[in-house]
Structure formats: structure tokens, C-alpha cells
Amino acid sequence: MKAIFLTAAMALTAASSLAQAEDRITVSVDATAPGAKIDRRIFGQFAEHLGSGIYEGIWVGKDSAIPNTRGIRNDVVAALKAIKVPVVRWPGGCFADEYHWRRGIGPERKPSMNANWGGVIEPNTFGTDEFFDFASQVGAEAYVSVNVGSAPVSEAAEWLEYMTASTGDAIGAERAKNGHTDPYKVAFVGLGNESWDCGGGMTPDFYVSQMKMHARFDRNYNPAQPMQRVAVGPNGGDTAYTEAVMKAYQGRSWAWGIEGLSLHAYTTGGGFPISQKATGFGEKEYSVILKDTLGMENLIATHSAIMDKYDPEKKVSLVVDEWGAWYAPTPGTDPGFLMQQNTQRDAVLAALNINIFARHADRVRMANIAQMINVLQAMILTDKEKMLLTPTYHVFEMYVPFQDATFIPVKLDAGVYSYGDISLPRVDAIAAKGTDGKLYVSLTNVDPNKPVEIDTAFLGVKVKSVTGETLSAPKMDSANTFDAPNIVAPKAATVRLKDGKAVVQLAPASVTVLAITL
Ligand code: AHR
């Protein structure tokens, strides 16, 4: 009997140490092998004239009771400054290929139809000058997408002239008359948007011929700001545009060039028409969405390999200028406005994507989440004078130290999180050396049920101290609402140093960032 008892006790001990082993993962950070710079622009944003993304989200007008600076709401600007938004892509999206910039300048604005998004009247009150005012209030670079699909090349060329020429130029003088004497700084110009679809349904070859003209004639006249041209690239995994544009780039003449190739890839968990709900989902949908989002790795690898073939020196950036979760619209809202709630699942999704971009920092030098305010996977939701920060916002906030940091490789045995026939890496991690000299480690626990203990070991550096911030939530579909805006908010992580390792427990479905002083 005694012998049996002992055997049972031994079995129990073995089982509990197995459980402990499973619930404990070691992450090794190798500071002796730094990689590429993580361009701060991978934390870029996209703001389209769509739903209440611009009107109400940014623009309330000078006479509004909502506190504003020249019509631009102060609360939103302050929130965006806090996450150091590096770049904003505007005015679309599908909207860009039907945008006629002259309707949006000067004292008399000419309304138009927003045919893509709800068929509403676009007042053109927020135009070029308001956009640059907004970008400058936020401290972000401007990424302007020009109309390739429904306007002659001269329209885009003259828009660039309006934005960047000196006042000796007649169109530059018009800008001065509208209140801005100095040329604007256009850091990026997008040569169309989704030209394979809403941008005009162009074959790759047809697009390449249009792109070459725009790459030649959409000139930047402001010597104070170099401008990069971003060509339309692939739709998800379709490689036809990647091949055609990069082949043309390889054979380019002195007269034109591009510096970026765009990739659009949304997480839908089943394609279009959209079926997944933003809230009120279960673990099945949680795992379907995260599996789908992890496909970003394969997409980037696929398109990067083609780019490497034509551009082995990696001069052209892969610009993921539309990414994020796209769910069924919030019930009761106009389906054309693409408004959706944002949950803890989206925080995990955001971290996983940013980690993928960071791991491809040598090629992915900009990404713009869709979209900044009130549309799709937004940072911010507004309702008249109220504003809330989403779980996705908080991830961008926690990742600020990764902006322009140097990528540091990590190794880990990630473990497995399974639901039904879906199996995903249980933990994801990246590390970087910040511009402030500290090491930063981001740790994501994908498992929505189980916590996991992480030991972070460091190679090649001596750790003095460690602090951390963590974003977790009561449920995987917890969201912030106007009545309860702080359900999901970062808090200090309980992290300790043990034998030179940082030890921290990650809550289920959570994102944690450690700051290590050396
Ligand atoms: O972000 C919403 C839309 O998605 C954009 O307008 C378009 O480019 C894409 O299809």
C-alpha cells in the first residue's frame, strides 16, 4: 500500500513539473547580433474620407463646441501625439481615385458625392490645407495618395505643384493665397490605390504604364523634403502586380523611379463579404481571426522574395499601407461607414502584425493601419464630444519605444495554442534596442485561457533593472465603451530579475512590453 502511495505521489510530482514546464517558456534575447532599424513608419496610420473617420473624427469645424484648433479636435490630436504617429496616409483608399483636390481648397468648397462610402455628400471642407494642418499638429509626416484612376496625370502633377512649389510658381502662389506661403513637406506620394480593383480595375501592364507617367510627372518641388513614390502593389497573396511593377523598376530609365511598393492585406477570417463579428465572438472566432492574421508573415515573405529578385539591394520598401481587422459593421450603423468595435483580440492581432513587420525591418519600412479613427481597426472612437482609446491604441502606445529601435533577435520555443483543428504559436516575442539605449522586449500570450510564465534571458548585456507594462482584459472580446472607456488599459507588469533573467507572468490573451536598463 505504501509503495502504491509513493508511486502515486511521484506521478503527481512528475505531472505538476510537466505542467510547470508547459506553462513556463524561456525567451533568449541575443544582444550580440543586432539587426535592421525598425522604421518608426511601421506605426503609420491611414485616414480616409469614409464614414466619420475625417468628419467628426478629426474635423469638427472652427465653430464647434468641441475644443478644436482651426477646426481640428484637440482631444484627438493629443491622443495621436502621445503615440507619436509617424505618418498619415490620406485621402484614401478607394476615395483617392475619385478625389479632385481643387474642390477642397480655397474659401469656397465644392461638395461632391462619396460614391464609395455610403453615397453621402462630401463637403470637401477638410482638404489639402486642413490635412497638412492636422499632420503638423500631430507631428506626423504626410503620405498623399493621388488620383490615378479617374483623372489625367496633369491633375495629380498640379496637386503636387500646389503642395510643394514655391510662390514664384502660379499654383504655389495659390497655396500662399490660401494661407500657407511655405511649401508643404510631402514625404510620400501614393501613385494610385488598389488599381487592380476600386482604383480602376487595371491589368498589371496597364497600371505600370500609368505608374511610370505619375512617377515621372508627380514632382516634388520642395528641396527641404525628399519625397518617396509608392506604387500600387499586391492585393494579398496575388503576385501579378509585384512581378510587373518590380520588373519595370529593374528596367527603369533615368526619367522615373519608385521608392515603395504597397501591399494591402486585411484580416477578415473568411474573406468578403465580411462575416466575422467585432464583439460577442467565441474562442472559435478568436482562433480563426488570429490564424488569418498570422498569414501576414507568408505574404511578406512571398512578396519580399519577388522584390529581392528585381531589387536585391532592397532599395524599394514594401509598404503595408492598409492592414488590420475588417469585421461586420456595428449593428445600427451605416454599413458603408465601416464602423466596428475594437477588443482585446484586436490588441493581440495588432501586436502580432507589428512583430511580423519588425522581423522584416530590412524590407518593410512603412505600414499604415486601417484606419486611424472610427473606421475598421481604429485607434480612436468618437461620439460627438466623447472620445475613447481602443485596445489597439494601447498597443501602439506601448510599442512607442520600438520606433526607430534596432531589431535584436530572440529565440524561444513558443509552445502551441490549439482550438479545434487550429494550432498557433502560443507566445510571440520581439526585442529591440531603443534610441534611448534601453532594451525592449514585447511578449504576447496568444492563448486566451491560460497564463504563461516567461523567463527572458539576455546574451551579451548585463541587466541593471527591468520594468514592464501589460495589456490584458477580463474577456477576449472586452472593449472600451463611451460609458466605460478604461475596461482595457495598460497597467504596470509584475516583473522581477532572477539570476539575470526577467521573469514575468503573461495573462491570457495579453500583450506585455518590458523595458530593460543596461
Ligand atoms: O480601408 C477601406 C478600403 O479598403 C479602402 O478604401 C480600400 O483601399 C480598401 O479596399
Side-chain angles (χ1 to χ4, degrees):
M1 183 66 195
K2 194 177 173 196
I4 292 171
F5 175 73
L6 276 179
T7 313
M10 280 160 67
L12 262 176
T13 314
S16 85
S17 56
L18 187 68
Q20 262 184 7
E22 276 178 357
D23 289 337
R24 199 175 194 105
I25 287 176
T26 298
V27 172
S28 305
V29 176
D30 186 357
T32 64
K37 183 176 92 169
I38 301 170
D39 198 310
R40 69 184 191 285
R41 298 179 183 110
I42 68 164
F43 298 93
Q45 305 283 323
F46 171 37
E48 180 168 16
H49 287 244
L50 195 178
S52 48
I54 302 286
Y55 300 106
E56 183 172 325
I58 296 174
W59 180 261
V60 287
K62 295 171 187 156
D63 301 329
S64 171
I66 299 172
N68 69 84
T69 302
R70 295 179 293 279
I72 294 164
R73 54 192 296 173
N74 294 343
D75 52 355
V76 163
V77 167
L80 296 173
K81 276 175 89 164
I83 56 170
K84 297 192 189 305
V85 170
V87 55
V88 181
R89 177 175 182 252
W90 173 85
C94 297
F95 182 84
D97 276 299
E98 292 182 71
Y99 183 58
H100 299 287
W101 65 274
R102 280 206 165 274
R103 294 185 178 204
I105 58 162
E108 278 193 30
R109 304 299 167 97
K110 298 186 180 62
S112 49
M113 296 297 296
N114 191 336
N116 283 291
W117 305 118
V120 295
I121 297 292
E122 160 60 53
N124 283 308
T125 322
F126 188 91
T128 309
D129 297 294
E130 290 74 24
F131 169 67
F132 279 94
D133 189 7
F134 168 66
S136 124
Q137 288 188 37
V138 170
E141 289 179 316
Y143 176 6
V144 176
S145 290
V146 301
N147 182 342
V148 168
S150 71
V153 181
S154 58
E155 184 169 327
E158 289 184 7
W159 193 15
L160 264 298
E161 205 173 328
Y162 179 82
M163 293 185 274
T164 67
S166 65
T167 50
D169 174 282
I171 305 185
E174 240 184 296
R175 182 196 61 244
K177 215 168 108 202
N178 290 334
H180 207 274
T181 309
D182 289 341
Y184 291 123
K185 292 182 173 176
V186 181
F188 298 89
V189 64
L191 309 178
N193 171 77
E194 298 192 355
S195 303
W196 26 264
D197 195 14
C198 70
M202 301 175 196
T203 62
D205 287 347
F206 185 79
Y207 173 70
V208 165
S209 66
Q210 306 300 301
M211 173 199 77
K212 286 181 183 174
M213 288 189 286
H214 280 274
R216 170 74 181 151
F217 299 120
D218 299 350
R219 288 177 188 269
N220 169 33
Y221 296 96
N222 184 355
Q225 171 67 60
M227 182 182 84
Q228 298 190 30
R229 295 155 288 185
V230 181
V232 171
N235 171 19
D238 189 339
T239 55
Y241 262 61
T242 317
E243 278 284 351
V245 173
M246 291 308 296
K247 191 166 176 210
Y249 169 81
Q250 190 186 43
R252 71 196 177 282
S253 77
W254 64 270
W256 70 274
I258 53 167
E259 289 75 29
L261 179 78
S262 138
L263 161 66
H264 288 187
Y266 284 97
T267 299
T268 60
F272 294 88
I274 296 294
S275 56
Q276 298 285 341
K277 290 194 290 180
T279 56
F281 52 82
E283 190 171 347
K284 179 168 176 235
E285 293 76 21
Y286 174 89
S287 57
V288 163
I289 285 292
L290 294 187
K291 177 174 188 244
D292 189 12
T293 219
L294 286 168
M296 183 64 87
E297 170 61 39
N298 191 35
L299 287 180
I300 292 178
T302 301
H303 296 296
S304 294
I306 297 169
M307 294 176 83
D308 286 350
K309 196 168 66 172
Y310 296 109
D311 171 32
E313 292 175 318
K314 299 186 193 292
K315 289 190 171 155
V316 179
S317 305
L318 184 58
V319 173
V320 192
D321 55 13
E322 286 189 31
W323 69 275
W326 189 327
Y327 305 125
T330 302
T333 62
D334 185 328
F337 287 4
L338 309 187
M339 181 170 253
Q340 67 190 38
Q341 226 332 343
N342 197 293
T343 68
Q344 182 65 13
R345 177 179 65 180
D346 297 307
V348 172
L349 183 157
L352 294 176
N353 279 278
I354 295 167
N355 294 355
I356 293 169
F357 302 150
R359 283 193 276 266
H360 289 275
D362 59 343
R363 183 65 88 174
V364 177
R365 292 185 283 256
M366 176 154 67
N368 307 75
I369 191 168
Q371 298 194 6
M372 191 159 60
I373 307 159
N374 292 333
V375 177
L376 299 177
Q377 191 176 345
M379 304 288 113
I380 294 175
L381 300 179
T382 64
D383 180 14
K384 299 183 191 70
E385 77 289 352
K386 292 186 194 158
M387 179 193 86
L388 68 80
L389 307 175
T390 66
T392 300
Y393 174 94
H394 291 305
V395 170
F396 274 67
E397 187 182 28
M398 289 162 64
Y399 269 73
V400 164
F402 287 89
Q403 294 198 10
D404 283 343
T406 303
F407 184 81
I408 302 285
V410 301
K411 276 199 196 126
L412 73 158
D413 182 355
V416 179
Y417 156 65
S418 297
Y419 184 87
D421 58 1
I422 292 182
S423 290
L424 308 174
R426 183 178 175 197
V427 170
D428 193 28
I430 59 161
K433 180 121 188 240
T435 51
D436 58 1
K438 290 185 184 176
L439 260 187
Y440 291 92
V441 182
S442 169
L443 302 162
T444 301
N445 182 8
V446 171
D447 193 321
N449 303 312
K450 288 199 285 180
V452 58
E453 186 136 294
I454 305 285
D455 290 337
T456 308
F458 302 92
L459 202 72
V461 286
K462 219 166 165 338
V463 174
K464 273 197 193 136
S465 62
V466 58
T467 57
E469 234 189 338
T470 190
L471 189 71
S472 62
K475 296 188 294 169
M476 60 188 142
D477 74 337
S478 293
N480 292 333
T481 64
F482 293 107
D483 294 331
N486 295 313
I487 302 271
V488 187
K491 54 180 194 297
T494 309
V495 51
R496 63 195 159 89
L497 272 179
K498 192 177 166 227
D499 305 329
K501 292 179 186 160
V503 182
V504 66
Q505 193 178 79
L506 309 182
S510 66
V511 181
T512 301
V513 173
L514 304 181
I516 295 109
T517 305
L518 305 174

